[in-house]
Amino acid sequence: MSKQQLMTGNEAIARGVFEAGVRFAAAYPGTPSTEILENISTYKEVLAQWSPNEKVAFEAAYGASLGGARSFASMKHVGLNVAADPFFTVAYTGGNAGLVVVTADEPGQHSSQNEQDNRNYARHAKVPMFEPADSAQCKAMTKFAFEMSEQHETPVLIRVTTRVCHSKSLVELEDRVEKEIVPYVKNAKKYVCVPANAIIRRGEVEKRLDTLKEYSNNCEWNYIEDNGKDVGVIASGMAINYAKEVFGSDVNYLNIGFSYPLPMKLMDSFLKNLKKVYVIEENDEYIEDAVKMLGYKHICFGKYAPDESRFLPAYGELTSDVIRKAVNGGKGYVASFDRSKVLGRPPALCAGCPHRGFFYELGKRKDVVVSGDIGCYTLGFAAPYNAMDFNCCMGASVSGANGMQKVLNMVEGNEKRVVGVLGDSTFFHSGMTSLLDIVYNKGNCITVILDNRITGMTGHQQNPGTGFTAQGEPTEIVDIEGVVRALGIKHVRTIDPNDLTLMRETLDWAIALKEPSVIITRYPCVLKKMSAHDKNEWPQMYSSKCTVDADKCIGCKLCLRSGCPAISVKDKKAVIDKTMCVGCSVCKQICPKDAIN
Amino acid sequence: MTKNILLVGVGGQGTILASKILTLGLQKANYDVKMSEIHGMSQRGGSVTSHIRYSEDKVYSPVIEHGQADVIVAFEKMEALRYLDYLKVDGKVFVNDYEIPGMPVTSGQAEYPQGIIEELKRVADTTVIDANKEAEKIGSSKVMNMILLGTIIGSMNLTNIDWDQILTENVKPQFIELNKKAIKCGIELAK
Ligand SMILES: Cc1ncc(C[n+]2csc(CCOP(=O)(O)OP(=O)(O)O)c2C)c(N)n1
Ligand code: SF4
Ligand code: SF4
Ligand code: SF4
C-alpha cells in the first residue's frame, strides 16, 4: 500500500504510533497535543486511554512497556512538568518494549499559561530527543523512536510545537507492522530503583549517551545541505522551514532533527568553513549554546549577536517574518490601514455556559478572594464577573486557597474567605490531593468544583466522571461528591448553578461555616455531546429559548451582567440572538422587570 | 512560485471545512501543499485563520508572511481588516458583507466599527460578497462557506480541479448538490 495523505502533525504522530505496532497509548488532553490521542483512539489495534493526568499517563505507558507492548504517552509542554518525576527515573530503567513520549510545546503561547522549552528536559533527564519539522517527519521519527527505545533501552522524547502539531503536509501511509508482546522477565537490578541498583543504571545512562552522541553525528536526521556558501544556518523543528523561506539557497544548512544528544562533531565540521552562522530555534538558546561552546561565538547570530546584543526575539514563534526582520529589517510592502476599526474578539463563555450563574453570583461578593484554576472557567476572571484573583497551574486553586486562607486567618479581624475554583477534569487531574491537604491540615477554605460533565476547554474529552473511555466504551462514573466525602470533607452540597437563588444561598452557607466545605455545581457544558445518562438526568436541558418582552424592558442593561454573548441592548431594549440562546434562564433571573420569558 | 491564501473568520463559520476542501483539491492537482490553522480555544466566537500555501515546487513554511497573501477571503468583515497586513501589494480581498459583533459589542463596551468596507476598498483590491443572501438563494445559509471557497477557486484559476469529486468524497450525501452549486456561485462572483 502506498498512499499520500494531507495530515496534521498530530494525525501523523498517531499514524506513526499505529504503524509502529504500538498497543498501548495514554495521554491527558492539552493544546496543542490533544488530537494525538484522539486520533490514536480511532485505531482499533491500539488501546488508547485518557488518564487523569500526565504523570499517570506516562506511568501507565511505562508499565505497559514493561508488560511487553510498545507504548506511548503524549502531553502538552506543562504536562511534562507533571510527569517529570517518573520521566527522570524511567530514563534509568528504560522499558521492556519501546516507550515513546511526545511533548507539544507552545512557542507564542497560543493557548497556554506559559512558554517553556522542553528540549531542556531531554538534556536534564538524559533522554534522547527528536524534533520533527513537518508531518512526514512526525510519522517517520515516531516510528524510528520506538526502534531506538528498544535498541538503547531508554524512553525517547519527541518535541513538537503548535505549528508542527496543527499544520498539514503530505504523508506517505504505510501498513502497520504487528509487534509480538515481549515476555516480561523479572529483573529487579534493572527495574527496582533502590540506590544500589539505580547507581548502576546511572552508569548505563552515560554509556548509552556516548553511543547516541556518535549516532547523532552520523544519522539520517541530522544532515548538511551544502550550497557552497560561507554563511550557514543551523535550525531544528519548524524553524528549519521558516529559515528556508528566508534564506533559500543562499546559505548552507545544517538540519537538526535528532537534537539530544546534539551532533557536536557534525556541527563543528559544518561551522569550520563559515564566516557567519544563523542559529534558528524556537524558545531557548539550546543549539546556540552548543555552537558557542564549540568556540564559534564570534560568528554566531542566534538569540544573541556575537557582541551579546539581542538578535532574534527571546520568545514567541520565529516565523519567516520574524527572522527576516532580524536579518535584513524585513521585506517590502505591508498594508497600512486604520487599526482603530478592528476590535478584539476576546474569548467568552458560550451562551448558556453552566459556569455563568456561578460567576455572576461570585462576582457580586466583596467578602471573598478567588483562587482560580485552568479551564473554560478561567474566563471568570474577566468582565463582567471579575471573579478571580489568581491562578497558576492545574490543581493549584485548592492548595493555593488553603495556604492563603491560613495566613488571612492570622490577620486580626479578617473576614475574607478564600474560594478555590476548579473544573471536574481539573479536580481529577490534581485537585483531589490538594483537597486532602485542606482536610488533613485543618484548613477552612471553600472549594467549588464546576462539574460540567466533560473536559471543556480542550475540546470535550471524556474524563473519569463522564462514564465513557477515550474509545467510547461505557465505564464507571466516578462520583465527585463521594470522592469529596471520602477525602474527609463533611460539608458538601451539589447544586444546579443555573438557579441563581440557590447558588447565592449556597455561597452564603459555605461562607458562614467555620469548617472547610465543597460546593459542586453540576450541569453539562452546552457543547457536550450528551450521553443517555445526561439526557435522563436533565430531560429539559437546552430545549427552550428565551425572548425579551420589549414592552416590559426598560433598557437597564442589568442582564448584560450575565456576560452572555447572546444578549445585547440595542436602542434601549434588550435583544436575544435566537440562534445562540439555549434558554439557561440566567438572564431571566437577573432581569428586575420580569421582561425575559 | 508559492501561492498564499488566507482564510479568516469567526469560530463556527465553517472556515475549517472550506480550507480542508481547498487543500484536498490542491493536493489532487499535484501541488505541494501546506496548511496551518490557529483556532483558539473551544469556546465559540474567537477569531480563526487558515493559512494555505501551495506550489509546483517544495513549500517549506506553512505560515504566510505579512505582505505576501495573494488572496484574503474573509467570512466576516472586521476579520478582513484585522489580517489585512498579510495582503500582497497586488493581492485581492474577498469579503463577506457579514457582521458578527463579538463580546465588546454585545456587552455594550464598544460599537461595531463603521466604514470597514470603505477602508478595505481604500487600501486593497476588494470584492464585496453578500454570501448569506447568495446562500439563501441557493437554498441554505449553511453553504456560505462554500460560496466563499468558490471565490478563491475563481480568483486563483483553480477551476480545472475536479471539485465535484472532492465534495462527493468529503460532504454528507444530502449536501453535495447544494455545495456544488455554492462553489459555482462563488466562482461566478469572483469574475
Ligand atoms: C498540566 C496541564 N495539563 C493540561 C492542560 C490543558 N488544559 C487546560 S484546561 C484543561 C481542562 C479543563 O477541564 P475542566 O477542569 O473540566 O474545566 P472546563 O474547561 O470543562 O470548564 C486542560 C486539559 C494544562 N493547562 N495543564
Ligand atoms: S465549552 Fe462548555 S464549559 Fe467551555 S465555555 Fe462553552 S459551555 Fe462553558
Ligand atoms: S435586565 Fe430586563 S429590563 Fe433590563 S435591559 Fe435586560 S431585559 Fe431589559
Ligand atoms: S437564557 Fe439568557 S443567559 Fe441563557 S443563553 Fe439565553 S440569552 Fe444567554
Side-chain angles (χ1 to χ4, degrees):
Chain A
M1 179 180 82
S2 164
K3 194 171 164 257
Q4 276 207 329
Q5 199 174 310
L6 270 171
M7 286 185 152
T8 61
N10 282 348
E11 288 165 349
I13 291 171
R15 179 75 198 185
V17 163
F18 165 74
E19 288 177 8
V22 171
R23 290 172 189 257
F24 183 86
Y28 181 71
T31 314
S33 71
T34 310
E35 302 84 3
I36 299 174
L37 195 95
E38 286 180 334
N39 278 286
I40 294 174
S41 72
T42 64
Y43 297 111
K44 292 185 306 295
E45 292 83 348
V46 190
L47 182 61
Q49 69 171 48
W50 289 123
S51 293
N53 68 34
E54 294 86 352
K55 176 168 148 40
V56 174
F58 179 79
E59 289 159 349
Y62 171 55
S65 156
L66 289 186
R70 284 192 165 185
S71 301
F72 174 86
S74 54
M75 54 204 65
K76 78 185 265 136
H77 60 328
V78 287
L80 192 53
N81 299 341
V82 178
D85 198 1
F87 183 70
F88 278 74
T89 302
V90 171
Y92 286 18
T93 64
N96 179 19
L99 176 61
V100 173
V101 189
V102 169
T103 169
D105 293 6
E106 274 237 302
Q109 269 183 266
H110 295 282
S111 33
S112 300
Q113 67 265 41
N114 76 356
E115 195 188 51
Q116 63 182 45
D117 188 336
N118 280 4
R119 292 179 303 173
N120 296 308
Y121 268 115
R123 181 164 55 181
H124 200 174
K126 302 177 188 292
V127 168
M129 167 174 63
F130 289 90
E131 278 186 76
D134 61 18
S135 300
Q137 281 196 342
C138 279
K139 181 167 86 79
M141 288 177 176
T142 301
K143 289 175 79 172
F144 185 77
F146 283 99
E147 303 288 330
M148 176 177 276
S149 170
E150 284 164 5
Q151 193 187 340
H152 296 276
E153 300 184 36
T154 173
V156 176
L157 182 66
I158 297 178
R159 186 240 191 180
V160 284
T161 54
T162 310
R163 293 285 182 178
V164 175
C165 293
H166 288 171
S167 295
K168 283 190 179 178
S169 57
L170 289 168
V171 178
E172 195 84 38
L173 302 191
E174 296 160 286
D175 290 330
R176 174 175 166 97
V177 178
E178 283 302 339
K179 293 279 166 185
E180 289 306 309
I181 290 186
V182 186
Y184 166 70
V185 181
K186 193 166 173 164
N187 184 352
K189 279 210 156 61
K190 186 168 179 224
Y191 296 127
V192 178
C193 297
V194 291
N197 292 344
I199 195 73
I200 294 169
R201 295 303 304 170
R202 178 77 188 80
E204 292 299 317
V205 167
E206 292 307 317
K207 278 191 218 153
R208 173 178 88 209
L209 281 182
D210 287 342
T211 317
L212 288 170
K213 274 177 195 162
E214 259 331 292
Y215 170 79
S216 186
N217 290 314
N218 301 301
C219 67
E220 60 181 296
W221 320 105
N222 298 333
Y223 61 95
I224 291 172
E225 281 169 74
D226 190 349
N227 291 319
K229 309 290 177 187
D230 57 9
V231 177
V233 165
I234 305 182
S236 71
M238 183 51 84
I240 292 174
N241 301 317
Y242 298 145
K244 286 189 174 163
E245 294 288 341
V246 174
F247 298 103
S249 53
D250 296 342
V251 297
N252 297 346
Y253 289 96
L254 173 54
N255 299 263
I256 298 189
F258 180 63
S259 56
Y260 185 76
L262 278 168
M264 299 301 274
K265 283 186 195 158
L266 184 67
M267 280 162 69
D268 194 37
S269 70
F270 177 75
L271 288 158
K272 221 164 37 203
N273 305 314
L274 298 179
K275 288 213 177 74
K276 188 175 194 177
V277 66
Y278 294 105
V279 180
I280 315 283
E281 55 186 332
E282 292 187 305
N283 291 144
D284 295 347
E285 303 94 85
Y286 174 81
I287 299 172
E288 183 174 341
D289 284 349
V291 167
K292 290 178 178 168
M293 209 171 74
L294 286 168
Y296 294 94
K297 181 178 172 195
H298 59 293
I299 61 164
C300 178
F301 290 78
K303 300 284 173 166
Y304 297 97
D307 65 2
E308 291 181 18
S309 62
R310 162 91 32 231
F311 183 65
L312 288 165
Y315 55 91
E317 294 187 285
L318 287 190
T319 50
S320 317
D321 307 68
V322 177
I323 301 171
R324 220 183 279 281
K325 196 158 173 232
V327 171
N328 60 19
K331 89 172 179 192
Y333 172 83
V334 175
S336 68
F337 56 93
D338 182 1
R339 279 240 167 238
S340 73
K341 292 195 192 303
V342 184
L343 302 176
R345 287 191 191 277
L349 297 175
C350 304
C353 174
H355 300 332
R356 177 163 282 114
F358 166 67
F359 281 117
Y360 173 75
E361 284 304 328
L362 188 69
K364 289 196 298 191
R365 307 199 74 112
K366 300 281 167 276
D367 51 351
V368 292
V369 178
V370 183
S371 168
D373 218 301
I374 306 195
C376 284
Y377 50 85
T378 309
L379 293 172
F381 92 91
Y385 322 107
N386 305 309
M388 194 170 289
D389 289 80
F390 57 95
N391 86 330
C392 86
C393 66
M394 294 190 76
S397 55
V398 182
S399 11
N402 187 25
M404 188 181 211
Q405 183 76 71
K406 292 208 161 192
V407 172
L408 293 185
N409 290 350
M410 295 172 195
V411 178
E412 244 332 279
N414 172 62
E415 305 240 310
K416 286 238 179 206
R417 297 302 306 275
V418 188
V419 184
V421 176
L422 76 175
D424 49 336
S425 185
T426 305
F427 177 69
F428 292 124
H429 180 280
S430 45
M432 297 193 299
T433 39
S434 302
L435 196 60
L436 194 57
D437 186 44
I438 297 177
V439 174
Y440 172 52
N441 287 310
K442 309 203 277 189
N444 71 335
C445 62
I446 299 157
T447 302
V448 183
I449 302 170
L450 302 172
D451 179 12
N452 61 355
R453 317 298 303 136
I454 201 79
T455 315
M457 171 93 156
T458 42
H460 310 94
Q461 292 74 32
Q462 305 295 341
N463 70 42
T466 64
F468 292 93
T469 68
Q471 290 180 305
E473 282 177 28
T475 181
E476 206 68 43
I477 300 179
V478 174
D479 168 26
I480 296 180
E481 185 168 328
V483 173
V484 168
R485 287 190 194 281
L487 288 172
I489 296 281
K490 289 193 255 143
H491 310 285
V492 191
R493 286 189 183 176
T494 299
I495 63 163
D496 173 354
N498 289 337
D499 181 338
L500 297 185
T501 310
L502 182 61
M503 191 69 247
R504 188 163 52 242
E505 286 169 2
T506 310
L507 281 169
D508 287 340
W509 162 80
I511 287 169
L513 287 167
K514 297 273 176 290
E515 291 186 319
S517 61
V518 171
I519 301 170
I520 302 164
T521 67
R522 186 175 162 101
Y523 206 85
C525 161
V526 180
L527 301 186
K528 182 183 178 182
K529 193 167 160 273
M530 303 300 168
S531 65
H533 191 277
D534 295 328
K535 288 178 191 156
N536 187 39
E537 185 172 345
W538 294 278
Q540 302 301 322
M541 169 176 54
Y542 305 132
S543 57
S544 59
K545 307 244 176 229
C546 286
T547 50
V548 179
D549 181 339
D551 292 340
K552 288 191 187 164
C553 175
I554 55 164
C556 70
K557 295 191 177 176
L558 281 179
C559 52
L560 296 185
R561 293 196 194 161
S562 69
C564 178
I567 194 160
S568 55
V569 176
K570 272 200 194 102
D571 305 327
K572 300 241 154 68
K573 296 285 170 194
V575 269
I576 289 177
D577 181 335
K578 272 213 155 76
T579 57
M580 285 170 128
C581 174
V582 294
C584 73
S585 89
V586 165
C587 59
K588 173 181 152 92
Q589 295 168 68
I590 296 172
C591 176
K593 294 287 162 194
D594 223 2
I596 300 175
N597 308 305
Chain B
M1 265 300 273
T2 304
K3 298 282 183 195
N4 299 312
I5 300 171
L6 184 66
L7 272 81
V8 302
V10 174
Q13 283 196 290
T15 51
I16 291 180
L17 180 65
S19 57
K20 181 179 169 191
I21 301 284
L22 179 59
T23 50
L24 287 172
L26 293 167
Q27 183 202 348
K28 235 185 191 145
N30 283 322
Y31 288 110
D32 190 25
V33 190
K34 288 212 169 153
M35 199 260 284
S36 179
E37 272 168 1
I38 294 291
H39 33 67
M41 293 174 271
S42 69
Q43 307 94 9
R44 294 166 177 156
S47 172
V48 291
T49 62
S50 295
H51 294 231
I52 293 150
R53 310 190 69 225
Y54 65 99
S55 172
E56 275 137 25
D57 308 318
K58 186 154 172 62
V59 178
Y60 291 103
S61 167
V63 184
I64 300 172
E65 287 184 56
H66 291 93
Q68 293 299 309
D70 294 276
V71 184
I72 296 181
V73 174
F75 287 44
E76 199 275 350
K77 63 187 188 190
M78 189 162 61
E79 296 310 305
L81 205 54
R82 187 186 313 280
Y83 297 102
L84 197 59
D85 49 1
Y86 278 92
L87 195 70
K88 226 180 184 159
V89 68
D90 55 351
K92 289 195 174 113
V93 177
F94 291 91
V95 58
N96 188 10
D97 192 3
Y98 192 74
E99 242 177 69
I100 300 180
M103 243 352 237
V105 177
T106 42
S107 67
Q109 294 161 306
E111 299 265 327
Y112 191 91
Q114 297 298 307
I116 288 179
I117 300 276
E118 291 70 21
E119 182 65 4
L120 286 168
K121 284 189 167 160
R122 187 182 70 77
V123 178
D125 175 352
T126 302
T127 308
V128 181
I129 288 179
D130 191 341
N132 197 32
K133 194 178 89 197
E134 299 292 340
E136 270 164 11
K137 269 197 246 162
I138 292 171
S140 161
S141 62
K142 289 218 170 87
V143 295
M144 211 157 78
N145 60 346
M146 290 297 141
I147 293 176
L148 292 160
L149 172 62
T151 63
I152 302 175
I153 294 169
S155 64
M156 298 300 288
N157 290 320
L158 297 169
T159 42
N160 52 343
I161 296 171
D162 189 353
W163 298 102
D164 288 358
Q165 178 65 27
I166 291 158
L167 284 177
T168 311
E169 288 165 9
N170 291 283
V171 174
K172 286 204 189 107
Q174 64 269 37
F175 298 122
I176 295 172
E177 278 313 310
L178 214 55
N179 281 316
K180 282 186 193 170
K181 274 193 209 156
I183 288 186
K184 290 213 178 72
C185 164
I187 294 173
E188 284 305 311
L189 291 170
K191 276 185 182 158

